[in-house]
Amino acid sequence: MTISGLSPALEQNVRALLTMARQPADSPAAQIQLAQDRAPEEIRKALEPFGYYRPQVEAALRRVNGQWRAVYRVDPGPPLRVTEVDVRIFGEAAALPEMQALVREFPLKAGAVLDQPRYEKGKGALQDLAAELGFFDARLTRHEIRVDLSAYRAAIHLWLDSGPRYRFGPVKFNETPLQPSLLKRFVQFRPGDPYRASAVLALQRNLLNSGYFQTADVAPKPRQARARETPIQVELGMQPRHRFNIGVGYGTDTGPRTSLAYWNRYVNSYGHSFQASARLSLIWNDLDLLYAIPLANPVRDQLAFTAKSGLENTVAGESRVVRAGVRHSTARWGLRELLALDYHRETFRLNGATQTTQLLIPSLNYTWLRSDNQIYPQHGFRLDGYLGGAWRGLATDVSFLKAQLNAKGVYGLDDENRLIARGQLGWLVTDDFDRLPLTQRFYTGGDQTVRGYRFNEISPKDARGERIGGRYLTVASLEYEHLLFGTWGVAVFTDVGRVANGAGDPFRVGVGLGLRWRSPIGPVRLDLGVPLGKALDPVQVHVVLGPDL
């Protein structure tokens, strides 16, 4: 079947309505002829919603090599235009800026070609916004397109009577192991506030993101409203109280590695939670504990007590760390804020000598994250800023001030190609660098920084060739990723980094190829990094599991 003379959009609609387009090739001749007889009128009907009421259709049917072939030549004729667009809002909604904006931005204007799908879209947007804003009694009192074929013009009349606006009533929760007072703190609106469906969706999202609940059904009940205050019914299904995770892996940096994690999602009815995790590998062994308490606004505010004991043994040296602290996290200015106070005791070995240093470190960290997809973003970025330090005499052996900025961005060229850029800047000031613990100095190298080098391999050295760490950190990375087929892709990358105590410390460069798998639990990255310059190994294998941002 061949159709000529129409734009792709018009032809698509014609094909969707043509009986001939649905005829099997082996249909009887009488059935084919009947479909052909219907075709001119079906084509005319298919063009009318787009404003073409005077088309000229030439239809031909013949057999070619035993197969029926239908040919339609269509001249759509002049488009019918809209000369009047009368869109009105009555009732309380008429005064709302959101509704006024929809009236102003109605898809069809006077002088435009009649397009019934665009009209339906505009009508649906008015009805949807009325429902979003709590006008549950809203109704269309007039909705018509009047077509005058003799004058060849159309007029649109669309009137919406919103009726009164409903307001939020009480929020009722089903029984759960958690205190009702905690559940109510998730509600970010008050009884009597004007209803908004987006606030209901936000409540559902916050409940699901809390970690307590496996399901959260949040439903307004306008038919149960009193004085036009609609109650909100929330039905919650709890997550299992206990969660265990076991992970195994291998990397050139770490060798064989395993991790164990335990999470008690709700230790008590007040929503306190407890987490414990252990990592075991050739270069680090540690145990982390965290006890978290939701505060007045559990959506964004949390108080946590932390403890850590660990051993780190890298090419930079050996450290034993004991740490305990308290931290408060919240959302502020569109950023994630983390304010912490940590007692840090570290015994480290460098140049054959062992030292022990204790620090009391207040710190402030801000995270700015924007992403179109939490797991596989096409566009997004993450920016982390850290500032921390300590002062000798306040349970501290050495004074220092440390600042670090980490940035990463993802830019999708199309559905199959992405550019990923990453950078780090660090700055350290101290009056006694030799007593500063290794974990507080800057090092780089490894799967998250400069690939092709071992973890913490890139560092200034002293006269004995020991890696002593540095005061200044600079890292940049650029990666191109291409999705080959299904969930598998490849990548090429270049990483550049330096840790310095002065201008003479060199930059190190690593290049390589990577394999990418978009697994059901998140991205898996396997990279082969080659150092361009002096390094401990000619190639490094890096395996990383986790989100891009």
Side-chain angles (χ1 to χ4, degrees), residues 431-495:
D431 58 358
D432 192 352
F433 187 83
D434 291 338
R435 294 202 65 191
L436 193 67
L438 299 185
T439 59
Q440 297 300 320
R441 307 180 189 189
F442 286 121
Y443 294 87
T444 195
D447 51 33
Q448 300 294 327
T449 55
V450 183
R451 288 163 285 188
Y453 296 83
R454 292 190 192 181
F455 181 72
N456 283 1
E457 179 181 345
I458 300 173
S459 163
K461 298 179 181 180
D462 62 10
R464 299 176 56 180
E466 297 282 349
R467 291 174 173 81
I468 60 172
R471 301 170 184 263
Y472 311 105
L473 169 70
T474 307
V475 174
S477 170
L478 184 62
E479 178 175 315
Y480 168 70
E481 181 183 283
H482 175 66
L483 192 64
L484 286 176
F485 55 87
T487 58
W488 292 91
V490 294
V492 294
F493 59 84
T494 299
D495 300 339

Coordinates of all heavy atoms in Angstrom, one line a residue, residues 431-495:
D431 N 51.0 22.7 61.0 CA 52.3 23.2 61.6 C 53.3 22.0 61.9 O 54.4 22.3 62.4 CB 52.0 24.0 62.9 CG 51.3 23.1 63.9 OD1 51.0 22.0 63.6 OD2 51.0 23.7 65.0
D432 N 52.9 20.8 61.7 CA 53.7 19.6 62.0 C 53.3 18.5 61.1 O 52.7 17.5 61.5 CB 53.6 19.3 63.5 CG 54.7 18.3 63.9 OD1 55.4 17.8 63.1 OD2 54.8 18.0 65.1
F433 N 53.7 18.5 59.8 CA 53.3 17.5 58.9 C 53.8 16.1 59.3 O 53.0 15.1 59.1 CB 53.9 17.9 57.5 CG 53.4 17.0 56.4 CD1 52.2 17.3 55.8 CD2 54.1 15.9 55.9 CE1 51.7 16.5 54.7 CE2 53.7 15.1 54.9 CZ 52.5 15.4 54.3
D434 N 54.9 16.0 59.9 CA 55.5 14.7 60.2 C 54.6 13.9 61.2 O 54.6 12.7 61.3 CB 56.9 14.8 60.8 CG 57.9 15.2 59.7 OD1 57.5 15.0 58.5 OD2 58.9 15.7 60.0
R435 N 53.9 14.7 62.1 CA 53.0 14.0 63.1 C 51.6 13.8 62.6 O 50.8 13.2 63.3 CB 53.0 14.8 64.4 CG 54.4 14.9 65.1 CD 54.2 15.2 66.6 NE 53.4 14.2 67.3 CZ 53.0 14.3 68.5 NH1 53.1 15.5 69.1 NH2 52.3 13.3 69.1
L436 N 51.3 14.3 61.4 CA 49.9 14.2 60.9 C 49.7 12.8 60.5 O 50.5 12.2 59.7 CB 49.7 15.1 59.8 CG 48.2 15.3 59.3 CD1 47.4 16.0 60.4 CD2 48.2 16.1 58.0
P437 N 48.6 12.1 60.9 CA 48.4 10.7 60.5 C 48.3 10.5 59.0 O 47.9 11.4 58.3 CB 47.0 10.4 61.2 CG 46.9 11.3 62.3 CD 47.6 12.6 61.9
L438 N 48.6 9.3 58.6 CA 48.6 9.0 57.1 C 47.2 9.2 56.5 O 47.1 9.7 55.4 CB 49.1 7.6 56.9 CG 50.5 7.3 57.3 CD1 50.9 5.9 56.9 CD2 51.5 8.3 56.8
T439 N 46.2 8.9 57.2 CA 44.8 9.0 56.7 C 44.4 10.4 56.5 O 43.4 10.7 55.8 CB 43.8 8.2 57.5 OG1 43.8 8.8 58.8 CG2 44.1 6.7 57.6
Q440 N 45.1 11.4 57.1 CA 44.7 12.8 56.9 C 45.6 13.5 55.9 O 45.3 14.6 55.5 CB 44.8 13.5 58.3 CG 43.9 13.0 59.4 CD 42.5 13.1 59.0 OE1 42.0 14.1 58.4 NE2 41.7 12.1 59.3
R441 N 46.6 12.8 55.4 CA 47.4 13.4 54.3 C 46.8 13.0 53.0 O 45.9 12.2 52.9 CB 48.8 12.8 54.4 CG 49.5 13.0 55.7 CD 50.9 12.4 55.7 NE 51.5 12.3 57.0 CZ 52.7 12.0 57.3 NH1 53.6 11.7 56.3 NH2 53.2 12.0 58.6
F442 N 47.2 13.7 51.9 CA 46.7 13.4 50.6 C 47.6 12.4 49.9 O 48.8 12.5 49.9 CB 46.7 14.7 49.7 CG 45.6 15.6 50.1 CD1 45.9 16.9 50.5 CD2 44.2 15.3 50.1 CE1 44.8 17.8 50.8 CE2 43.2 16.1 50.4 CZ 43.5 17.4 50.8
Y443 N 46.9 11.4 49.3 CA 47.5 10.4 48.4 C 46.5 10.2 47.3 O 45.3 10.6 47.4 CB 47.7 9.0 49.1 CG 48.7 9.0 50.2 CD1 48.3 9.3 51.5 CD2 50.0 8.7 50.0 CE1 49.2 9.3 52.5 CE2 50.9 8.6 51.0 CZ 50.5 8.9 52.3 OH 51.5 8.9 53.3
T444 N 46.9 9.7 46.2 CA 46.0 9.3 45.1 C 46.5 8.1 44.4 O 47.6 7.6 44.6 CB 45.7 10.5 44.2 OG1 44.6 10.3 43.4 CG2 46.9 10.8 43.3
G445 N 45.7 7.7 43.4 CA 45.9 6.4 42.7 C 44.9 5.4 43.1 O 44.5 5.3 44.3
G446 N 44.4 4.6 42.2 CA 43.4 3.6 42.5 C 42.1 3.8 41.6 O 42.1 4.7 40.7
D447 N 41.1 2.9 41.8 CA 40.0 2.8 40.9 C 39.1 4.1 41.0 O 38.3 4.3 40.1 CB 39.2 1.6 41.2 CG 38.8 1.4 42.7 OD1 38.6 2.4 43.3 OD2 38.7 0.3 43.1
Q448 N 39.2 4.9 42.0 CA 38.3 6.1 42.1 C 39.1 7.4 41.8 O 38.5 8.5 41.8 CB 37.8 6.2 43.6 CG 36.9 5.0 44.0 CD 35.7 4.9 43.2 OE1 35.1 5.9 42.8 NE2 35.2 3.7 43.0
T449 N 40.4 7.3 41.5 CA 41.2 8.5 41.2 C 41.9 8.3 39.9 O 41.4 8.6 38.8 CB 42.1 8.7 42.4 OG1 42.9 7.6 42.7 CG2 41.3 9.1 43.7
V450 N 43.2 7.9 40.0 CA 44.0 7.7 38.8 C 44.2 6.2 38.5 O 45.0 5.5 39.2 CB 45.4 8.4 38.9 CG1 46.2 8.3 37.6 CG2 45.2 9.9 39.3
R451 N 43.5 5.7 37.6 CA 43.5 4.3 37.3 C 44.8 3.9 36.6 O 45.4 4.7 35.8 CB 42.3 3.9 36.5 CG 41.0 3.8 37.2 CD 39.8 3.8 36.3 NE 39.6 5.2 35.7 CZ 38.5 5.5 35.0 NH1 37.5 4.6 34.9 NH2 38.3 6.7 34.5
G452 N 45.3 2.7 36.8 CA 46.6 2.3 36.3 C 47.7 2.3 37.4 O 48.8 1.8 37.2
Y453 N 47.3 2.9 38.5 CA 48.2 3.0 39.7 C 47.6 2.3 40.9 O 46.3 2.3 41.0 CB 48.6 4.4 40.0 CG 49.4 5.1 39.0 CD1 48.7 5.7 37.9 CD2 50.8 5.2 39.0 CE1 49.4 6.3 36.9 CE2 51.5 5.8 38.0 CZ 50.8 6.4 36.9 OH 51.5 7.0 35.9
R454 N 48.4 1.8 41.8 CA 47.8 1.2 43.0 C 47.2 2.2 43.9 O 47.5 3.4 43.8 CB 48.9 0.5 43.8 CG 49.5 -0.8 43.1 CD 50.4 -1.5 44.1 NE 51.2 -2.5 43.4 CZ 52.1 -3.3 44.1 NH1 52.2 -3.2 45.4 NH2 52.8 -4.2 43.4
F455 N 46.4 1.7 44.8 CA 45.7 2.6 45.8 C 46.8 3.3 46.6 O 47.7 2.7 47.2 CB 44.8 1.8 46.7 CG 44.1 2.6 47.7 CD1 43.1 3.4 47.4 CD2 44.5 2.5 49.1 CE1 42.4 4.1 48.3 CE2 43.8 3.2 50.0 CZ 42.8 4.0 49.7
N456 N 46.8 4.7 46.6 CA 47.7 5.5 47.3 C 49.1 5.5 46.8 O 50.1 5.9 47.5 CB 47.7 5.2 48.8 CG 46.5 5.7 49.6 OD1 45.6 6.4 49.0 ND2 46.4 5.5 50.8
E457 N 49.3 5.0 45.6 CA 50.7 4.9 45.0 C 51.3 6.3 44.7 O 52.5 6.5 44.8 CB 50.7 4.0 43.8 CG 52.0 3.9 43.1 CD 52.0 3.0 41.9 OE1 51.0 2.3 41.7 OE2 53.0 3.1 41.1
I458 N 50.4 7.2 44.3 CA 50.9 8.5 43.8 C 51.1 9.4 45.0 O 50.1 9.8 45.7 CB 50.0 9.1 42.8 CG1 49.9 8.2 41.6 CG2 50.5 10.5 42.4 CD1 48.8 8.6 40.6
S459 N 52.4 9.8 45.3 CA 52.7 10.6 46.5 C 54.1 11.1 46.4 O 54.9 10.5 45.8 CB 52.5 9.7 47.7 OG 53.2 10.3 48.9
P460 N 54.3 12.3 47.0 CA 55.7 12.7 47.2 C 56.5 11.7 48.0 O 55.9 11.0 48.9 CB 55.6 14.0 47.9 CG 54.2 14.5 47.6 CD 53.4 13.3 47.5
K461 N 57.8 11.6 47.8 CA 58.7 10.7 48.6 C 59.7 11.5 49.3 O 60.1 12.6 48.9 CB 59.3 9.7 47.6 CG 58.4 8.8 46.9 CD 59.1 7.8 45.9 CE 58.1 6.9 45.2 NZ 58.8 6.0 44.3
D462 N 60.2 10.9 50.4 CA 61.3 11.5 51.1 C 62.6 11.0 50.6 O 62.7 10.2 49.6 CB 61.1 11.3 52.6 CG 61.2 9.8 53.0 OD1 61.6 9.0 52.1 OD2 60.9 9.4 54.2
A463 N 63.7 11.3 51.3 CA 65.0 10.9 50.8 C 65.2 9.4 50.8 O 66.1 8.9 50.1 CB 66.1 11.6 51.7
R464 N 64.5 8.7 51.6 CA 64.6 7.2 51.7 C 63.7 6.5 50.7 O 63.6 5.3 50.7 CB 64.3 6.7 53.1 CG 65.3 7.3 54.2 CD 64.9 6.8 55.6 NE 64.8 5.3 55.6 CZ 64.5 4.7 56.8 NH1 64.2 5.4 57.9 NH2 64.4 3.4 56.8
G465 N 62.9 7.3 49.9 CA 62.0 6.7 49.0 C 60.6 6.3 49.5 O 59.8 5.7 48.8
E466 N 60.4 6.8 50.8 CA 59.1 6.5 51.4 C 58.0 7.4 50.9 O 58.3 8.6 50.8 CB 59.2 6.5 52.9 CG 60.1 5.5 53.5 CD 59.5 4.2 53.6 OE1 58.3 4.0 53.4 OE2 60.3 3.2 53.9
R467 N 56.8 6.9 50.6 CA 55.7 7.8 50.2 C 55.1 8.5 51.5 O 54.5 7.8 52.3 CB 54.6 7.0 49.5 CG 55.1 6.4 48.2 CD 54.1 5.5 47.5 NE 54.4 5.2 46.2 CZ 55.3 4.2 45.9 NH1 55.9 3.5 46.8 NH2 55.6 4.0 44.6
I468 N 55.3 9.8 51.6 CA 55.0 10.5 52.8 C 53.6 11.3 52.7 O 53.2 11.9 53.6 CB 56.1 11.5 53.2 CG1 56.3 12.5 52.1 CG2 57.4 10.7 53.5 CD1 57.3 13.6 52.4
G469 N 53.0 11.2 51.5 CA 51.8 12.0 51.3 C 52.1 13.5 51.0 O 53.2 13.9 51.0
G470 N 51.0 14.2 50.8 CA 51.2 15.6 50.4 C 50.2 16.6 50.9 O 49.2 16.2 51.5
R471 N 50.5 17.8 50.7 CA 49.6 18.9 51.1 C 48.6 19.4 50.0 O 47.6 20.0 50.4 CB 50.4 20.1 51.5 CG 51.5 19.9 52.6 CD 52.4 21.0 52.8 NE 53.5 20.8 53.7 CZ 53.4 21.2 55.0 NH1 52.4 21.9 55.4 NH2 54.4 20.9 55.8
Y472 N 48.9 19.0 48.8 CA 48.0 19.5 47.7 C 47.6 18.3 46.8 O 48.5 17.5 46.4 CB 48.7 20.6 46.9 CG 49.3 21.7 47.7 CD1 50.7 21.7 47.9 CD2 48.5 22.6 48.3 CE1 51.3 22.7 48.7 CE2 49.1 23.6 49.1 CZ 50.5 23.6 49.3 OH 51.0 24.6 50.1
L473 N 46.4 18.3 46.4 CA 45.8 17.2 45.6 C 45.2 17.8 44.3 O 44.4 18.7 44.4 CB 44.8 16.4 46.4 CG 44.0 15.4 45.6 CD1 44.8 14.2 45.2 CD2 42.8 14.9 46.5
T474 N 45.5 17.2 43.2 CA 44.9 17.5 41.9 C 44.6 16.3 41.1 O 45.5 15.5 40.9 CB 45.7 18.5 41.1 OG1 46.1 19.6 41.9 CG2 45.0 19.0 39.9
V475 N 43.4 16.0 40.7 CA 43.0 14.9 39.9 C 42.0 15.3 38.8 O 41.1 16.1 39.1 CB 42.4 13.7 40.8 CG1 41.9 12.6 39.9 CG2 43.4 13.2 41.8
A476 N 42.2 14.8 37.6 CA 41.2 15.1 36.6 C 41.0 13.8 35.8 O 42.0 13.0 35.6 CB 41.6 16.2 35.7
S477 N 39.8 13.6 35.3 CA 39.5 12.3 34.5 C 38.5 12.6 33.5 O 37.5 13.4 33.7 CB 39.0 11.2 35.5 OG 38.5 10.1 34.7
L478 N 38.6 12.0 32.3 CA 37.7 12.1 31.2 C 37.5 10.7 30.7 O 38.4 10.0 30.3 CB 38.1 13.0 30.1 CG 37.1 13.3 29.0 CD1 35.8 13.9 29.5 CD2 37.7 14.2 27.9
E479 N 36.2 10.3 30.5 CA 35.9 8.9 30.1 C 34.8 9.0 29.0 O 33.8 9.8 29.2 CB 35.4 8.1 31.3 CG 35.0 6.7 31.0 CD 34.6 5.9 32.2 OE1 35.4 6.0 33.2 OE2 33.6 5.2 32.2
Y480 N 34.9 8.2 28.0 CA 33.9 8.1 27.0 C 33.3 6.6 27.1 O 34.1 5.7 27.1 CB 34.4 8.3 25.6 CG 33.5 7.9 24.5 CD1 32.3 8.6 24.2 CD2 33.8 6.8 23.7 CE1 31.5 8.2 23.2 CE2 32.9 6.4 22.6 CZ 31.8 7.1 22.4 OH 30.9 6.8 21.4
E481 N 32.0 6.5 27.2 CA 31.3 5.2 27.3 C 30.4 5.0 26.2 O 29.6 5.9 25.9 CB 30.6 5.2 28.7 CG 29.9 3.9 29.0 CD 29.2 4.0 30.3 OE1 29.8 3.9 31.4 OE2 27.9 4.1 30.3
H482 N 30.4 3.8 25.6 CA 29.5 3.4 24.5 C 28.8 2.2 24.9 O 29.4 1.1 25.2 CB 30.3 3.3 23.2 CG 29.5 2.8 22.1 ND1 28.5 3.5 21.5 CD2 29.5 1.6 21.4 CE1 27.9 2.9 20.5 NE2 28.5 1.7 20.4
L483 N 27.5 2.2 24.8 CA 26.6 1.0 25.0 C 26.6 0.2 23.7 O 26.1 0.6 22.7 CB 25.2 1.4 25.4 CG 24.3 0.3 26.0 CD1 24.9 -0.3 27.3 CD2 22.9 0.9 26.2
L484 N 27.1 -1.1 23.8 CA 27.2 -1.9 22.6 C 25.9 -2.6 22.2 O 25.3 -2.4 21.2 CB 28.3 -2.9 22.8 CG 29.8 -2.4 22.7 CD1 30.7 -3.6 23.0 CD2 30.1 -1.9 21.3
F485 N 25.4 -3.4 23.2 CA 24.2 -4.1 23.0 C 23.6 -4.4 24.3 O 24.3 -4.7 25.3 CB 24.4 -5.4 22.1 CG 25.4 -6.3 22.7 CD1 25.1 -7.2 23.7 CD2 26.8 -6.2 22.3 CE1 26.1 -8.1 24.2 CE2 27.7 -7.0 22.9 CZ 27.4 -8.0 23.8
G486 N 22.3 -4.4 24.4 CA 21.6 -4.8 25.6 C 22.1 -3.9 26.8 O 22.0 -2.7 26.8
T487 N 22.6 -4.6 27.8 CA 23.1 -3.9 29.0 C 24.6 -3.8 29.1 O 25.2 -3.5 30.1 CB 22.6 -4.6 30.3 OG1 23.0 -6.0 30.3 CG2 21.1 -4.5 30.3
W488 N 25.3 -4.2 28.0 CA 26.8 -4.2 28.0 C 27.4 -3.1 27.1 O 26.8 -2.7 26.1 CB 27.2 -5.6 27.4 CG 26.9 -6.7 28.3 CD1 25.8 -7.5 28.2 CD2 27.7 -7.2 29.3 NE1 25.8 -8.4 29.2 CE2 27.0 -8.3 29.9 CE3 28.9 -6.9 29.9 CZ2 27.5 -9.1 31.0 CZ3 29.4 -7.6 30.9 CH2 28.7 -8.7 31.5
G489 N 28.5 -2.5 27.6 CA 29.1 -1.4 27.0 C 30.6 -1.5 27.2 O 31.1 -2.3 27.9
V490 N 31.3 -0.5 26.6 CA 32.7 -0.4 26.7 C 33.1 1.1 27.0 O 32.2 2.0 26.8 CB 33.5 -0.8 25.4 CG1 33.3 -2.3 25.2 CG2 33.0 -0.1 24.2
A491 N 34.3 1.3 27.5 CA 34.7 2.7 27.8 C 36.2 2.8 27.5 O 37.0 1.9 27.6 CB 34.4 3.0 29.2
V492 N 36.6 4.1 27.2 CA 38.0 4.4 27.2 C 38.2 5.6 28.1 O 37.2 6.4 28.3 CB 38.5 4.8 25.8 CG1 38.4 3.6 24.9 CG2 37.6 5.9 25.1
F493 N 39.3 5.7 28.7 CA 39.5 6.8 29.7 C 40.9 7.3 29.8 O 41.9 6.6 29.4 CB 39.0 6.3 31.1 CG 39.8 5.1 31.7 CD1 41.0 5.3 32.3 CD2 39.3 3.9 31.5 CE1 41.7 4.2 32.8 CE2 39.9 2.7 32.0 CZ 41.1 2.9 32.7
T494 N 41.1 8.5 30.3 CA 42.4 9.1 30.7 C 42.2 9.8 32.0 O 41.3 10.6 32.2 CB 42.8 10.1 29.6 OG1 42.9 9.5 28.4 CG2 44.1 10.8 30.0
D495 N 43.1 9.4 33.0 CA 43.1 10.0 34.3 C 44.5 10.7 34.5 O 45.5 10.2 34.1 CB 43.0 8.9 35.4 CG 41.6 8.2 35.3 OD1 40.7 8.7 34.6 OD2 41.5 7.1 35.8

